[in-house]
Amino acid sequence: MARSLIGIVLLAVALYLGLGAALLVFQRSLIYFPQPRAIGSPDRLLMLPVTDERIAVTVRPLASPKALIYFGGNAEDVSRSLPDFAEAFPDHALYLLHYRGFGDSTGNPSEAAILQDALALFDKVHTLHGEVALVGRSLGSGVAIQLASQRPAARLVLVTPYNSILELAQRQFPIYPVRWMLKDRYESWRYAPVITVPTLLIVAERDEVIPRWSSEKLFAQFRSGVARREVIPGSGHNDIGGRTEYLRLIRSGL
């Protein structure tokens, strides 16, 4: 009996350590799901002059003082948003970033690398357009808010945003010390208090990926009067972009 109990304990420990090791090694594969580019010809691509990789940006050039930079979700081909964005924002030049490993971009995605590319993109766009708005959806909301805390964005729109990916991961894997394991934390709450530009949070009422409480927790971190929150009734995390209110609300935030 004692030997059987010891064997069960040893097996449980081995399974715990094995799964923990897998989470540690393959954690970025659980965050990023690179997608190929489906829409747009090579003349619709801007290649960023970063030193280590080729970073692609789907663009709709426009000689306008206004520009919009879009950061998509963790499994999103941002080029698919180009037709709708081009129609909805006729007075904005459009720049949709393909994260490393996504679309025509090379390399491997990480929080630090994506932020580096976002900063490079903003600096390039800002030389061409005086008023640059940032829109980030899901994973991209964490990129957009970090960028807005470091660059003079004109407006900020966060779609299905989260307070912290670290927080969500800890709840997903409560038996592991995720705080010490996770490399890409995307702690949006750290940046919200320093945001001063008008900010809009668009929340899906029935978001099955980003819990409503996480979006609400982030909203509470902004200074009074800086941010407003809009909820799209009946929408989920993945179908929010197809709702009629979606683009209308983004326009209202710009």
Side-chain angles (χ1 to χ4, degrees):
M1 180 68 178
R3 288 185 178 180
S4 298
L5 182 58
I6 292 173
I8 292 172
V9 170
L10 290 176
L11 178 60
V13 170
L15 289 173
Y16 175 83
L17 293 176
L19 179 57
L23 288 173
L24 184 63
V25 173
F26 300 108
Q27 59 181 272
R28 284 187 171 134
S29 297
L30 300 176
I31 298 176
Y32 308 102
F33 301 91
Q35 302 295 316
R37 176 175 58 85
I39 295 177
S41 56
D43 63 339
R44 288 288 182 176
L45 286 179
L46 165 70
M47 305 307 293
L48 283 182
V50 297
T51 57
D52 52 344
E53 300 291 350
R54 296 175 63 253
I55 305 302
V57 184
T58 289
V59 300
R60 195 277 300 275
L62 188 67
S64 168
K66 297 181 178 181
L68 183 155
I69 301 178
Y70 177 70
F71 304 101
N74 68 334
E76 182 177 350
D77 168 22
V78 294
S79 73
R80 293 184 179 275
S81 294
L82 184 62
D84 288 341
F85 276 33
E87 181 178 353
F89 311 109
D91 56 344
H92 284 74
L94 301 175
Y95 299 85
L96 290 69
L97 179 68
H98 295 270
Y99 303 140
R100 298 189 181 209
F102 289 64
D104 299 84
S105 296
T106 62
N108 298 306
S110 71
E111 182 178 7
I114 291 173
L115 181 59
Q116 172 189 326
D117 300 336
L119 289 166
L121 176 57
F122 185 95
D123 291 343
K124 184 173 184 63
V125 171
H126 200 231
T127 64
L128 302 173
H129 313 275
E131 185 177 319
V132 182
L134 306 179
V135 179
R137 178 175 177 178
S138 192
L139 178 77
S141 67
V143 181
I145 195 171
Q146 287 193 56
L147 180 58
S149 73
Q150 299 183 42
R151 292 293 189 270
R155 297 286 190 278
L156 177 62
V157 178
L158 306 176
V159 181
T160 59
Y162 47 82
N163 193 54
S164 164
I165 282 185
L166 171 61
E167 187 176 53
L168 297 178
Q170 185 64 75
R171 287 177 176 254
Q172 185 74 21
F173 303 100
I175 64 173
Y176 289 100
V178 173
R179 177 171 298 277
W180 309 111
M181 299 169 66
L182 195 64
K183 298 175 183 176
D184 297 346
R185 296 167 174 254
Y186 290 99
E187 295 178 298
S188 296
W189 63 269
R190 291 186 180 275
Y191 309 99
V194 303
I195 300 298
T196 58
V197 299
T199 299
L200 169 64
L201 284 72
I202 301 177
V203 179
E205 182 186 36
R206 299 177 180 173
D207 199 318
E208 68 284 7
V209 177
I210 306 297
R212 177 78 174 270
W213 60 260
S214 186
S215 298
E216 297 291 344
K217 199 170 180 180
L218 175 63
F219 177 62
Q221 306 303 317
F222 287 89
R223 297 179 187 179
S224 177
V226 169
R228 65 185 176 94
R229 176 184 74 263
E230 297 287 348
V231 179
I232 297 184
S235 62
H237 189 82
N238 294 315
D239 67 5
I240 190 172
R243 300 302 177 111
T244 56
E245 304 99 313
Y246 177 66
L247 291 173
R248 175 182 60 79
L249 282 173
I250 295 179
R251 281 198 303 270
S252 76
L254 303 184

